[in-house]
Amino acid sequence: MEVRGEAVGVTVVDDFAHHPTAVAGTLGAARQLFRGRRLIAVFEPRSYTAQRREFQEAYVEALAEADHAIVAGLFRPERYDDATRLDPAQLIASLRARGVAADYEPSADGIVTRIVRGACPGDVVLIMSNGGFGGIHERILAELGAESPAHGVHPDGGRTGE
């Protein structure tokens, strides 16, 4: 985990996690390190493992530790067929069924917009990918810095104060 920066009280963290076990471990460590803060997990299914349907339930288990999970689009979906491809819509539905705020946002642009509109001072945005993810870390920090610090109430509720 590498803290990439902070803007208007929102901390942006980068981690190479892409296997479900690593995602779970990273979220657990972030919970300890940033105790009591809302944890927004942004996951890019980029690696071969991350895009495989066989790991779908393991990702649900791992991402359920976030207060809000945002799942990006598959990096190269054409490499898989319906039987082998991770289903982001089903992943989001499964997380929501567990009471986790969750959204599917296919593009880095959309994720940046969603974070900038919804993040509040004290939030931690944990970005997990094994690639550059379109420079998303710097883009979020720059956009947050350009925004007024008057971010408001968490739009999704989220767990706080653990």
Side-chain angles (χ1 to χ4, degrees), residues 79-97:
R79 291 182 173 180
Y80 309 92
D81 60 24
D82 289 343
T84 60
R85 180 185 312 118
L86 181 83
D87 183 345
Q90 183 57 49
L91 178 60
I92 296 306
S94 296
L95 286 165
R96 287 178 178 168

PDB file of all heavy atoms in Angstrom, residues 79-97:
ATOM      1  N   ARG A  79     -11.128 -11.531 -24.393  1.00  0.00           N
ATOM      2  CA  ARG A  79     -10.322 -12.756 -24.169  1.00  0.00           C
ATOM      3  C   ARG A  79     -11.136 -13.880 -23.532  1.00  0.00           C
ATOM      4  O   ARG A  79     -10.663 -14.992 -23.427  1.00  0.00           O
ATOM      5  CB  ARG A  79      -9.144 -12.441 -23.256  1.00  0.00           C
ATOM      6  CG  ARG A  79      -8.109 -11.575 -23.891  1.00  0.00           C
ATOM      7  CD  ARG A  79      -6.972 -11.358 -22.933  1.00  0.00           C
ATOM      8  NE  ARG A  79      -5.872 -10.667 -23.577  1.00  0.00           N
ATOM      9  CZ  ARG A  79      -4.755 -10.350 -22.976  1.00  0.00           C
ATOM     10  NH1 ARG A  79      -4.563 -10.665 -21.711  1.00  0.00           N
ATOM     11  NH2 ARG A  79      -3.808  -9.708 -23.626  1.00  0.00           N
ATOM     12  N   TYR A  80     -12.344 -13.569 -23.082  1.00  0.00           N
ATOM     13  CA  TYR A  80     -13.145 -14.528 -22.332  1.00  0.00           C
ATOM     14  C   TYR A  80     -14.520 -14.656 -22.958  1.00  0.00           C
ATOM     15  O   TYR A  80     -14.993 -13.754 -23.627  1.00  0.00           O
ATOM     16  CB  TYR A  80     -13.277 -14.076 -20.868  1.00  0.00           C
ATOM     17  CG  TYR A  80     -11.939 -13.745 -20.257  1.00  0.00           C
ATOM     18  CD1 TYR A  80     -11.445 -12.442 -20.300  1.00  0.00           C
ATOM     19  CD2 TYR A  80     -11.149 -14.727 -19.696  1.00  0.00           C
ATOM     20  CE1 TYR A  80     -10.192 -12.144 -19.771  1.00  0.00           C
ATOM     21  CE2 TYR A  80      -9.904 -14.439 -19.170  1.00  0.00           C
ATOM     22  CZ  TYR A  80      -9.427 -13.138 -19.211  1.00  0.00           C
ATOM     23  OH  TYR A  80      -8.196 -12.848 -18.710  1.00  0.00           O
ATOM     24  N   ASP A  81     -15.161 -15.780 -22.695  1.00  0.00           N
ATOM     25  CA  ASP A  81     -16.544 -15.932 -23.140  1.00  0.00           C
ATOM     26  C   ASP A  81     -17.448 -15.814 -21.914  1.00  0.00           C
ATOM     27  O   ASP A  81     -16.971 -15.642 -20.790  1.00  0.00           O
ATOM     28  CB  ASP A  81     -16.747 -17.251 -23.891  1.00  0.00           C
ATOM     29  CG  ASP A  81     -16.434 -18.488 -23.051  1.00  0.00           C
ATOM     30  OD1 ASP A  81     -16.488 -18.410 -21.801  1.00  0.00           O
ATOM     31  OD2 ASP A  81     -16.126 -19.535 -23.641  1.00  0.00           O
ATOM     32  N   ASP A  82     -18.751 -15.912 -22.121  1.00  0.00           N
ATOM     33  CA  ASP A  82     -19.697 -15.729 -21.026  1.00  0.00           C
ATOM     34  C   ASP A  82     -19.492 -16.745 -19.902  1.00  0.00           C
ATOM     35  O   ASP A  82     -19.761 -16.439 -18.742  1.00  0.00           O
ATOM     36  CB  ASP A  82     -21.132 -15.813 -21.536  1.00  0.00           C
ATOM     37  CG  ASP A  82     -21.509 -14.600 -22.372  1.00  0.00           C
ATOM     38  OD1 ASP A  82     -20.799 -13.570 -22.288  1.00  0.00           O
ATOM     39  OD2 ASP A  82     -22.506 -14.680 -23.116  1.00  0.00           O
ATOM     40  N   ALA A  83     -19.017 -17.925 -20.250  1.00  0.00           N
ATOM     41  CA  ALA A  83     -18.833 -18.968 -19.237  1.00  0.00           C
ATOM     42  C   ALA A  83     -17.593 -18.733 -18.382  1.00  0.00           C
ATOM     43  O   ALA A  83     -17.534 -19.201 -17.244  1.00  0.00           O
ATOM     44  CB  ALA A  83     -18.737 -20.339 -19.913  1.00  0.00           C
ATOM     45  N   THR A  84     -16.609 -18.012 -18.889  1.00  0.00           N
ATOM     46  CA  THR A  84     -15.346 -17.844 -18.157  1.00  0.00           C
ATOM     47  C   THR A  84     -15.103 -16.424 -17.647  1.00  0.00           C
ATOM     48  O   THR A  84     -14.239 -16.207 -16.812  1.00  0.00           O
ATOM     49  CB  THR A  84     -14.151 -18.245 -19.037  1.00  0.00           C
ATOM     50  OG1 THR A  84     -14.116 -17.420 -20.207  1.00  0.00           O
ATOM     51  CG2 THR A  84     -14.219 -19.715 -19.435  1.00  0.00           C
ATOM     52  N   ARG A  85     -15.871 -15.467 -18.127  1.00  0.00           N
ATOM     53  CA  ARG A  85     -15.661 -14.054 -17.810  1.00  0.00           C
ATOM     54  C   ARG A  85     -16.320 -13.665 -16.486  1.00  0.00           C
ATOM     55  O   ARG A  85     -17.467 -14.019 -16.227  1.00  0.00           O
ATOM     56  CB  ARG A  85     -16.247 -13.205 -18.935  1.00  0.00           C
ATOM     57  CG  ARG A  85     -16.115 -11.717 -18.759  1.00  0.00           C
ATOM     58  CD  ARG A  85     -16.819 -10.913 -19.862  1.00  0.00           C
ATOM     59  NE  ARG A  85     -16.504 -11.377 -21.192  1.00  0.00           N
ATOM     60  CZ  ARG A  85     -17.400 -11.860 -22.049  1.00  0.00           C
ATOM     61  NH1 ARG A  85     -18.679 -11.927 -21.737  1.00  0.00           N
ATOM     62  NH2 ARG A  85     -17.029 -12.272 -23.245  1.00  0.00           N
ATOM     63  N   LEU A  86     -15.602 -12.933 -15.656  1.00  0.00           N
ATOM     64  CA  LEU A  86     -16.167 -12.328 -14.455  1.00  0.00           C
ATOM     65  C   LEU A  86     -17.365 -11.478 -14.874  1.00  0.00           C
ATOM     66  O   LEU A  86     -17.319 -10.791 -15.895  1.00  0.00           O
ATOM     67  CB  LEU A  86     -15.111 -11.439 -13.781  1.00  0.00           C
ATOM     68  CG  LEU A  86     -15.517 -10.739 -12.502  1.00  0.00           C
ATOM     69  CD1 LEU A  86     -15.358 -11.685 -11.316  1.00  0.00           C
ATOM     70  CD2 LEU A  86     -14.666  -9.497 -12.288  1.00  0.00           C
ATOM     71  N   ASP A  87     -18.405 -11.497 -14.091  1.00  0.00           N
ATOM     72  CA  ASP A  87     -19.613 -10.725 -14.387  1.00  0.00           C
ATOM     73  C   ASP A  87     -19.708  -9.556 -13.404  1.00  0.00           C
ATOM     74  O   ASP A  87     -20.184  -9.726 -12.269  1.00  0.00           O
ATOM     75  CB  ASP A  87     -20.835 -11.631 -14.272  1.00  0.00           C
ATOM     76  CG  ASP A  87     -22.127 -10.932 -14.636  1.00  0.00           C
ATOM     77  OD1 ASP A  87     -22.153  -9.685 -14.719  1.00  0.00           O
ATOM     78  OD2 ASP A  87     -23.136 -11.644 -14.825  1.00  0.00           O
ATOM     79  N   PRO A  88     -19.241  -8.354 -13.802  1.00  0.00           N
ATOM     80  CA  PRO A  88     -19.266  -7.217 -12.882  1.00  0.00           C
ATOM     81  C   PRO A  88     -20.666  -6.877 -12.363  1.00  0.00           C
ATOM     82  O   PRO A  88     -20.818  -6.528 -11.189  1.00  0.00           O
ATOM     83  CB  PRO A  88     -18.698  -6.064 -13.720  1.00  0.00           C
ATOM     84  CG  PRO A  88     -17.867  -6.720 -14.755  1.00  0.00           C
ATOM     85  CD  PRO A  88     -18.594  -8.000 -15.071  1.00  0.00           C
ATOM     86  N   ALA A  89     -21.684  -7.002 -13.200  1.00  0.00           N
ATOM     87  CA  ALA A  89     -23.049  -6.687 -12.756  1.00  0.00           C
ATOM     88  C   ALA A  89     -23.481  -7.628 -11.635  1.00  0.00           C
ATOM     89  O   ALA A  89     -24.080  -7.201 -10.639  1.00  0.00           O
ATOM     90  CB  ALA A  89     -24.021  -6.760 -13.928  1.00  0.00           C
ATOM     91  N   GLN A  90     -23.158  -8.905 -11.778  1.00  0.00           N
ATOM     92  CA  GLN A  90     -23.500  -9.875 -10.733  1.00  0.00           C
ATOM     93  C   GLN A  90     -22.665  -9.641  -9.478  1.00  0.00           C
ATOM     94  O   GLN A  90     -23.156  -9.770  -8.358  1.00  0.00           O
ATOM     95  CB  GLN A  90     -23.307 -11.306 -11.235  1.00  0.00           C
ATOM     96  CG  GLN A  90     -23.705 -12.358 -10.210  1.00  0.00           C
ATOM     97  CD  GLN A  90     -25.152 -12.211  -9.758  1.00  0.00           C
ATOM     98  OE1 GLN A  90     -26.056 -12.099 -10.576  1.00  0.00           O
ATOM     99  NE2 GLN A  90     -25.375 -12.179  -8.454  1.00  0.00           N
ATOM    100  N   LEU A  91     -21.414  -9.261  -9.644  1.00  0.00           N
ATOM    101  CA  LEU A  91     -20.546  -8.941  -8.510  1.00  0.00           C
ATOM    102  C   LEU A  91     -21.153  -7.794  -7.705  1.00  0.00           C
ATOM    103  O   LEU A  91     -21.255  -7.855  -6.474  1.00  0.00           O
ATOM    104  CB  LEU A  91     -19.149  -8.584  -9.018  1.00  0.00           C
ATOM    105  CG  LEU A  91     -18.094  -8.178  -8.000  1.00  0.00           C
ATOM    106  CD1 LEU A  91     -17.836  -9.280  -6.989  1.00  0.00           C
ATOM    107  CD2 LEU A  91     -16.801  -7.830  -8.727  1.00  0.00           C
ATOM    108  N   ILE A  92     -21.591  -6.747  -8.399  1.00  0.00           N
ATOM    109  CA  ILE A  92     -22.210  -5.592  -7.737  1.00  0.00           C
ATOM    110  C   ILE A  92     -23.507  -6.010  -7.045  1.00  0.00           C
ATOM    111  O   ILE A  92     -23.756  -5.641  -5.893  1.00  0.00           O
ATOM    112  CB  ILE A  92     -22.457  -4.453  -8.749  1.00  0.00           C
ATOM    113  CG1 ILE A  92     -21.137  -3.932  -9.318  1.00  0.00           C
ATOM    114  CG2 ILE A  92     -23.286  -3.328  -8.122  1.00  0.00           C
ATOM    115  CD1 ILE A  92     -20.108  -3.508  -8.303  1.00  0.00           C
ATOM    116  N   ALA A  93     -24.327  -6.798  -7.719  1.00  0.00           N
ATOM    117  CA  ALA A  93     -25.592  -7.256  -7.128  1.00  0.00           C
ATOM    118  C   ALA A  93     -25.332  -8.077  -5.858  1.00  0.00           C
ATOM    119  O   ALA A  93     -26.044  -7.921  -4.857  1.00  0.00           O
ATOM    120  CB  ALA A  93     -26.384  -8.068  -8.148  1.00  0.00           C
ATOM    121  N   SER A  94     -24.329  -8.928  -5.891  1.00  0.00           N
ATOM    122  CA  SER A  94     -23.998  -9.750  -4.721  1.00  0.00           C
ATOM    123  C   SER A  94     -23.511  -8.893  -3.561  1.00  0.00           C
ATOM    124  O   SER A  94     -23.855  -9.150  -2.400  1.00  0.00           O
ATOM    125  CB  SER A  94     -22.927 -10.786  -5.081  1.00  0.00           C
ATOM    126  OG  SER A  94     -23.414 -11.694  -6.037  1.00  0.00           O
ATOM    127  N   LEU A  95     -22.708  -7.876  -3.854  1.00  0.00           N
ATOM    128  CA  LEU A  95     -22.240  -6.976  -2.797  1.00  0.00           C
ATOM    129  C   LEU A  95     -23.405  -6.196  -2.193  1.00  0.00           C
ATOM    130  O   LEU A  95     -23.524  -6.070  -0.974  1.00  0.00           O
ATOM    131  CB  LEU A  95     -21.181  -6.017  -3.343  1.00  0.00           C
ATOM    132  CG  LEU A  95     -19.811  -6.646  -3.607  1.00  0.00           C
ATOM    133  CD1 LEU A  95     -18.963  -5.725  -4.477  1.00  0.00           C
ATOM    134  CD2 LEU A  95     -19.112  -6.961  -2.290  1.00  0.00           C
ATOM    135  N   ARG A  96     -24.279  -5.694  -3.039  1.00  0.00           N
ATOM    136  CA  ARG A  96     -25.441  -4.942  -2.546  1.00  0.00           C
ATOM    137  C   ARG A  96     -26.349  -5.825  -1.704  1.00  0.00           C
ATOM    138  O   ARG A  96     -26.918  -5.371  -0.706  1.00  0.00           O
ATOM    139  CB  ARG A  96     -26.209  -4.342  -3.718  1.00  0.00           C
ATOM    140  CG  ARG A  96     -25.484  -3.178  -4.359  1.00  0.00           C
ATOM    141  CD  ARG A  96     -26.241  -2.642  -5.544  1.00  0.00           C
ATOM    142  NE  ARG A  96     -25.573  -1.488  -6.130  1.00  0.00           N
ATOM    143  CZ  ARG A  96     -25.895  -0.966  -7.301  1.00  0.00           C
ATOM    144  NH1 ARG A  96     -26.909  -1.477  -8.017  1.00  0.00           N
ATOM    145  NH2 ARG A  96     -25.226   0.071  -7.765  1.00  0.00           N
ATOM    146  N   ALA A  97     -26.479  -7.097  -2.091  1.00  0.00           N
ATOM    147  CA  ALA A  97     -27.304  -8.029  -1.310  1.00  0.00           C
ATOM    148  C   ALA A  97     -26.730  -8.225   0.092  1.00  0.00           C
ATOM    149  O   ALA A  97     -27.477  -8.554   1.020  1.00  0.00           O
ATOM    150  CB  ALA A  97     -27.402  -9.378  -2.034  1.00  0.00           C
TER     151      ALA A  97
END
